[in-house]
Amino acid sequence: MSYGKSVIFLSVLACGILAVSCAGTDVYKDPSAPVEKRVEDLLSKMTLEEKIYQVTQWTYGKNMNANNVETSMKEVSPMIGSLLYRSTSPEYYNMIQHKAVEESRLGIPILCGFDAIHGYKTIFPIPLAQSCSWNPDMVARSCAVAAEECRLSGVHWTFSPVLDVARDSRWGRVSEGYGEDPYLTSEMGVAAVRGYQGEDLSDTTSIAACLKHFVGYSWSQGGRDYQYTEISDQTLWDTALPPFEAAVKAGAATVMSAFNDISGVPASANSYTMNEVLRGKWGFDGLVVSDWGAVVQLMSQGAAADTTEACMKAITAGLDMDMVDDVYLTSLDSLITSGQLDESVLDEAVRRILRVKFRLGLFEKPYIAELPESERFLLEDSRKLARAFAAETFVLLKNEGDILPLSSDRRTVALLGPMADNREDLMGSWNGQGDAGDVVTIREGLEASGMSVKYFGGCPFDGDDRSGFTRAKAIAAGSDVVVVCLGEKKGWSGENASRAGISLPRIQLDFLRTVASAGKPVVVLVSSGRPVEMEEIARHADALVEIWQPGTEGGNAVADVLSGLVNPSGKLTMTFPLCSEQQPSFYNQRPSARPFMGHYQDISKKPVYEFGYGLSYSDFEYGELRIDHESVATDGRLTAEIDVTNVSDTDGQETVLWFIQDPVASVTRPVKELRHFEKRLIRAGQTETFRFEIEPQKHLSYYDGDGVRHLEAGDFRLMAGPRKVSFALL
Ligand code: NOJ
């Protein structure tokens, strides 16, 4: 079958002829009818061609991602199921939606998706940074801002949150996720879903979340993007799946299948993960979209000989919508009419897509108000939130002699380095529709805060141009304090941005050494999308702050932290290894047969900064770790408490991380696992009591490779801050 204009014309004609008989019996048009009834009614009226368009996604608007280059902008069919909508124009959006609603036979609105990964127009810190805030509420609020900006521009669906648990800093996409811990990733993922989807998906300020990449993408071999992933069933269940399970249970509307091949079965053709686990075990009834071109890529992966086989494998594995490669559009018809594929498989995919459209209220409100940008984007409150959130994601790694916050007698600042007056790279990768012109640079932030700033870049991001070094050193020598802004360009992390080494380019390190030799106190700010090698940087710094890629309000947030207006409270959610070769360095590894041996002979075994590390301008002291019983029954509860005192004269926020260790189990467990965390403000001189209610089934059990949870009696260890205590599960 060919899907050309003549078919569209015939469909319109048919609609006209059928219009009289349809009237009055269109349950799907009745907003008061239950969603399932509307779905069935609409599905029963659809032709094979209409169904095939419904499971197809094309792109429309400007191309934001060099990796996803479109060969051509296709004419949008009014029957198309979904568009990757890359314009910010409500007028454009309304135009296309009118076409779908008025020119297609059944008037099914188009579902418009976009990658608002850490903001749409107001850009928030990258997700890896967000996780370092340990503040799910901030995550939710930033997602709510993104949702509103999206919806006002015609985007109903964001391809976020990214729930890939980080495993290797070389993989560029660690910037998009919430770090190396599955529990923290789950909590942040749930918060993101709450923020995007709100109380009710059909609200005009809500958008559908999309959990990605399902599943195991971050296990890419060697940290190289799109590579094969070897994942045992137990690790899949233990580490990769839990964040998805939590976010599905929180009501996420959609899921995206991943690019990777999971131990021999690519994620986009994986019936076990999509049909059995996602649908069967977790009861997910929303849609699964492929990643970009992932269906046709089943051929490159060696899972399909041709597009027909790729189509067959993907759709029968439970992949509902085909993103941009048109494999479904070109293969489904012959597969079904030849009897190779039962139409009920396609029906099920269409059902799931329609369900999401009904839940979003698209049939009732397909169009949007055509508001000017000033009423849609970068509203004052959104900027305020972006500023506060960014400051909360910064991690103070070193602060010798309490050089930070900058005291009033250290207010003449030499501001140096490639990041110091940079807009574009502060946004990080996947910066949505963010404009560099809207970004506050570090220089602008410090100047606006009243500091006397002597700015000079002095050093490029990379290359060999050292011509600015001498002048930079002279400026450093003439100032009270030197702030050196180093880091990665935004394209150095993100998709298809893996790096063999995680050090900053040599020129930046040489620059730091040169300006530090001026003898003034040195504050180093590192802006990066991944953990970078910090050992040498820290050696030349009195104070060191990882500011990640903080987004639109980055410069103001830096000023807030350097001036002491905001007390830093971030803690690392990815280990900073000594060097790339020290990896894997994630904290939650399983114990070695000889824990004190076997490490690389030529480097230290210790990472530079561990998971959970982060300083504050306050000093916190942890009291004894108390438990109310020394043992607990499987159906009982054990309460643990710890007092944390702020022994400084500065108010500060502290996050207590609670870890469990199960030293002996039928399936070996990691050396420790985060099971709970809580962040609180502790006023100067005050004590706060932090509590963890341990529920054995929830906190002490683990998954086996079949997805069955086990709870085994025996000894456990509980850790919080520097304290440890043992207890028994009876
Ligand atoms: C490819 C990326 O892997 C995915 O994360 C993104 O959502 C899609 N392209 C759409 O842009």
Side-chain angles (χ1 to χ4, degrees):
M1 190 195 294
S2 86
Y3 299 99
K5 285 205 177 95
S6 54
V7 176
I8 297 166
F9 171 74
L10 285 175
S11 306
V12 173
L13 197 69
C15 182
I17 295 164
L18 289 174
V20 180
S21 62
C22 285
T25 60
D26 285 338
V27 176
Y28 79 91
K29 289 185 179 161
D30 176 3
S32 67
V35 166
E36 290 311 307
K37 283 224 160 88
R38 298 178 78 185
V39 168
E40 291 311 319
D41 179 56
L42 180 51
L43 185 62
S44 70
K45 296 182 160 88
M46 291 171 79
T47 63
L48 179 57
E49 181 195 24
E50 285 163 341
K51 291 178 193 172
I52 292 173
Y53 268 101
Q54 206 50 222
V55 295
T56 297
Q57 183 183 61
W58 286 347
T59 59
Y60 190 75
K62 67 179 169 172
N63 191 341
M64 302 293 297
N65 181 348
N67 299 304
N68 300 338
V69 178
E70 301 155 61
T71 45
S72 64
M73 187 63 70
K74 298 169 197 154
E75 194 186 340
V76 177
S77 160
M79 282 189 290
I80 196 75
S82 175
L83 288 174
L84 240 158
Y85 185 67
R86 291 161 155 185
S87 163
T88 56
S89 154
E91 290 82 7
Y92 255 47
Y93 164 81
N94 281 338
M95 201 179 74
I96 303 173
Q97 200 63 287
H98 271 290
K99 190 171 171 183
V101 172
E102 285 153 29
E103 292 178 25
S104 71
R105 191 176 67 92
L106 295 164
I108 306 175
I110 301 170
L111 177 62
C112 292
F114 183 73
D115 289 284
I117 306 298
H118 49 111
Y120 184 71
K121 200 74 171 183
T122 306
I123 302 303
F124 294 94
I126 54 169
L128 178 58
Q130 295 189 16
S131 63
C132 294
S133 73
W134 296 82
N135 190 337
D137 189 50
M138 280 286 202
V139 172
R141 287 167 61 199
S142 68
C143 292
V145 169
E148 199 158 350
E149 291 186 347
C150 277
R151 199 78 194 234
L152 289 170
S153 308
V155 172
H156 323 115
W157 180 25
T158 179
F159 305 127
S160 167
V162 175
L163 302 180
D164 300 311
V165 177
R167 279 295 169 261
D168 190 324
S169 317
R170 293 173 297 182
W171 192 52
R173 306 201 77 170
V174 297
S175 62
E176 298 174 48
Y178 299 116
E180 69 193 29
D181 183 79
Y183 172 67
L184 177 62
T185 302
S186 306
E187 292 293 295
M188 295 307 192
V190 166
V193 170
R194 180 158 46 89
Y196 289 133
Q197 299 194 171
E199 295 281 300
D200 181 351
L201 202 51
S202 70
D203 283 349
T204 48
T205 51
S206 299
I207 56 175
C210 182
L211 314 178
K212 70 185 193 187
H213 305 82
F214 195 65
V215 57
Y217 185 24
S218 50
W219 272 258
S220 276
Q221 282 183 336
R224 292 189 293 266
D225 211 356
Y226 315 121
Q227 299 292 309
Y228 177 76
T229 56
E230 186 60 63
I231 312 173
S232 73
D233 288 346
Q234 210 274 322
T235 295
L236 189 71
W237 274 100
D238 214 36
T239 313
L241 288 170
F244 289 92
E245 183 179 13
V248 163
K249 295 201 166 138
T254 80
V255 169
M256 182 185 291
S257 73
F259 283 132
N260 56 300
D261 177 343
I262 312 168
S263 301
V265 184
S268 303
N270 202 309
S271 181
Y272 176 66
T273 55
M274 293 190 284
N275 282 334
E276 285 186 45
V277 177
L278 183 64
R279 267 76 179 239
K281 287 205 185 224
W282 300 343
F284 176 72
D285 66 358
L287 75 89
V288 179
V289 63
S290 78
D291 202 340
W292 184 287
V295 181
V296 78
Q297 285 166 202
L298 292 175
M299 290 160 62
S300 338
Q301 288 174 308
D306 51 32
T307 49
T308 312
E309 192 180 357
C311 177
M312 183 77 175
K313 284 202 162 174
I315 197 146
T316 52
L319 186 61
D320 306 313
M321 185 182 281
D322 181 6
M323 186 186 282
V324 308
D325 61 26
D326 280 356
V327 170
Y328 281 10
L329 188 67
T330 52
S331 308
L332 277 172
D333 180 73
S334 60
L335 276 172
I336 290 170
T337 48
S338 67
Q340 291 173 77
L341 177 70
D342 198 297
E343 193 169 343
S344 64
V345 177
L346 172 61
D347 284 352
E348 192 49 40
V350 175
R351 204 173 264 129
R352 293 174 186 138
I353 293 165
L354 294 179
R355 196 175 279 142
V356 171
K357 292 187 176 187
F358 281 115
R359 286 179 180 163
L360 276 162
L362 294 188
F363 286 80
E364 282 65 66
K365 293 182 205 140
Y367 311 119
I368 55 173
E370 297 179 0
L371 300 176
E373 294 208 350
S374 58
E375 289 176 35
R376 289 184 282 143
F377 303 144
L378 295 154
L379 304 182
E380 201 186 325
D381 282 350
S382 313
R383 273 194 175 270
K384 271 192 195 152
L385 179 67
R387 179 174 181 161
F389 194 10
E392 207 164 326
T393 66
F394 297 168
V395 186
L396 179 63
L397 297 171
K398 183 176 179 185
N399 196 16
E400 223 160 74
D402 287 341
I403 180 169
L404 288 178
L406 297 177
S407 56
S408 43
D409 55 345
R410 287 226 175 99
R411 285 293 172 120
T412 303
V413 175
L415 181 68
L416 310 170
M419 264 301 170
D421 200 25
N422 178 295
R423 289 178 206 287
E424 189 72 43
D425 299 296
L426 277 192
M427 290 193 289
S429 74
W430 291 110
N431 55 291
Q433 299 284 8
D435 277 327
D438 294 320
V439 173
V440 179
T441 70
I442 296 173
R443 178 188 185 179
E444 288 166 345
L446 294 190
E447 284 174 350
S449 77
M451 290 183 201
S452 152
V453 175
K454 293 189 203 166
Y455 163 74
F456 179 57
C459 175
F461 277 98
D462 53 3
D464 208 23
D465 180 3
R466 288 170 163 75
S467 57
F469 279 30
T470 311
R471 184 166 163 221
K473 184 173 171 184
I475 293 174
S479 309
D480 298 324
V481 63
V482 187
V483 175
V484 189
C485 307
L486 306 177
E488 293 190 307
K489 293 178 114 169
K490 69 174 198 182
W492 294 3
S493 59
E495 187 183 349
N496 193 21
S498 297
R499 295 178 85 78
I502 55 164
S503 67
L504 292 183
R506 188 69 244 164
I507 192 165
Q508 294 196 40
L509 301 168
D510 289 349
F511 180 70
L512 172 60
R513 207 163 24 85
T514 304
V515 296
S517 70
K520 296 296 169 125
V522 175
V523 176
V524 180
L525 308 178
V526 175
S527 169
S528 62
R530 58 155 61 74
V532 294
E533 288 183 16
M534 282 293 199
E535 203 264 341
E536 187 177 344
I537 296 175
R539 247 189 290 132
H540 297 291
D542 297 286
L544 174 58
V545 191
E546 171 63 63
I547 63 165
W548 306 110
Q549 289 159 329
T552 311
E553 284 287 325
N556 282 330
V558 166
D560 291 344
V561 167
L562 296 197
S563 67
L565 209 65
V566 172
N567 185 351
S569 60
K571 288 181 192 265
L572 296 178
T573 58
M574 259 190 99
T575 304
F576 274 50
L578 179 64
C579 53
S580 197
E581 297 82 354
Q582 203 190 42
Q583 299 190 92
S585 56
F586 53 88
Y587 86 93
N588 40 3
Q589 295 179 34
R590 302 194 199 216
S592 148
R594 295 183 173 186
F596 302 106
M597 296 170 74
H599 302 283
Y600 296 121
Q601 300 275 307
D602 50 344
I603 53 169
S604 156
K605 67 174 187 181
K606 290 187 82 167
V608 180
Y609 298 113
E610 288 175 354
F611 176 86
Y613 181 80
L615 305 171
S616 159
Y617 298 155
S618 310
D619 295 312
F620 299 109
E621 268 181 21
Y622 281 63
E624 287 311 308
L625 176 46
R626 307 182 295 270
I627 45 176
D628 63 350
H629 297 98
E630 305 222 314
S631 61
V632 59
T634 49
D635 58 352
R637 262 183 187 234
L638 190 136
T639 304
E641 286 184 344
I642 194 159
D643 292 337
V644 182
T645 304
N646 181 345
V647 293
S648 71
D649 53 11
T650 309
D651 294 349
Q653 297 191 83
E654 173 66 345
T655 306
V656 173
L657 313 186
W658 297 88
F659 296 96
I660 293 277
Q661 185 195 10
D662 182 354
V664 183
S666 303
V667 175
T668 57
R669 307 301 307 144
V671 287
K672 59 179 188 175
E673 297 174 84
L674 183 78
R675 291 296 196 204
H676 180 58
F677 63 87
E678 189 187 354
K679 184 172 194 172
R680 277 203 218 165
L681 173 70
I682 311 181
R683 299 254 175 230
Q686 300 289 303
T687 298
E688 289 282 328
T689 301
F690 290 75
R691 190 165 295 116
F692 177 21
E693 297 278 348
I694 300 174
E695 297 167 45
Q697 199 59 49
K698 187 166 163 198
H699 299 114
L700 307 179
S701 65
Y702 64 85
Y703 275 120
D704 68 15
D706 294 322
V708 177
R709 278 196 95 88
H710 293 264
L711 184 61
E712 295 180 338
D715 289 335
F716 286 83
R717 259 175 230 137
L718 174 66
M719 295 160 244
R723 309 287 178 217
K724 273 186 196 162
V725 70
S726 296
F727 63 92
L729 175 68
L730 302 173

